[in-house]
Amino acid sequence: MTDNTFANPAPLGLFGFGITTILLSLHNAGITDLSMVILSVAVCLGGFAQVIAGIFEMKFENTFGASAFISFGFFWISMAMIWLLPTIGNVQAVDPVSIAFYLLIFGCFTSFMFLSSLKHAKILQILFAVVSVLFFLLAAADFTGIAILTTIAGYLGIFLGAAAMYGCVGMIVNNDWKKDIFKL
């Protein structure tokens, strides 16, 4: 008889989201440069790991988890493409207004996902509330050119990424110990 059970894919998705968000936010806060580390992590962990987690969320019939992880996974892959394509081909670099609209639209999507997160764990409510604000801050920074908004978003993103990592570790530890050691 074949065992058709799967491990919870959410910690993988939260890890991918968390580490990528922290690294990019360190850049937005002015602490690091935008480097191949950020781009590679955006594609591999922010992108592929979250898409894989989202596909496995489908196995659990978790529309929320599948939609969140797959959408954010492809968000990170698309961001890496936005940064890289102008350097490898005859593609014009993104202008601030275009990226601002992209971030604004993703902020709207994330706000709707926040509404659904109210039926889920508190950590997910916190994550979706904060990421919504983060997208709107980054969009406002690109629309207005006010650099301090990007810096503020950077520090908010570091908090957001750390909260996602907390959720990841909490899910793993709570599962292993079969009790709520981390409050989620």
Side-chain angles (χ1 to χ4, degrees):
M1 181 174 252
T2 303
D3 183 7
N4 288 329
T5 60
F6 288 88
N8 181 359
L12 171 64
L14 288 174
F15 175 73
F17 178 78
I19 190 170
T20 309
T21 301
I22 289 171
L23 290 173
L24 180 58
S25 295
L26 288 168
H27 164 69
N28 287 340
I31 298 168
T32 64
D33 291 329
L34 182 62
S35 70
M36 283 309 297
V37 170
I38 297 170
L39 295 172
S40 297
V41 170
V43 172
C44 295
L45 292 167
F48 296 142
Q50 283 194 87
V51 170
I52 291 167
I55 290 168
F56 278 98
E57 287 286 5
M58 289 181 188
K59 170 71 177 163
F60 294 112
E61 299 179 4
N62 182 356
T63 302
F64 176 82
S67 299
F69 287 135
I70 293 171
S71 297
F72 278 92
F74 282 116
F75 167 82
W76 286 115
I77 293 169
S78 69
M79 285 303 298
M81 290 178 68
I82 288 167
W83 295 321
L84 286 174
L85 285 177
T87 67
I88 61 174
N90 192 17
V91 178
Q92 183 178 357
V94 68
D95 63 280
V97 173
S98 295
I99 197 70
F101 274 116
Y102 181 58
L103 295 167
L104 179 66
I105 292 165
F106 229 92
C108 291
F109 167 75
T110 305
S111 296
F112 291 127
M113 292 295 286
F114 167 73
L115 295 176
S116 188
S117 77
L118 297 174
K119 297 284 285 180
H120 296 274
K122 289 285 184 220
I123 189 67
L124 294 179
Q125 295 170 26
I126 292 167
L127 291 175
F128 279 90
V130 174
V131 78
S132 295
V133 172
L134 180 62
F135 276 124
F136 294 132
L137 264 175
L138 290 169
D142 283 324
F143 277 129
T144 65
I146 300 172
I148 191 70
L149 293 177
T150 302
T151 303
I152 293 167
Y155 285 101
L156 183 62
I158 293 167
F159 166 78
L160 173 64
M165 299 291 272
Y166 173 90
C168 163
V169 171
M171 288 179 182
I172 294 168
V173 170
N174 291 354
N175 180 68
D176 286 347
W177 288 88
K178 305 294 185 232
K179 60 182 171 180
D180 289 337
I181 295 171
F182 283 74
K183 298 299 177 200
L184 301 175

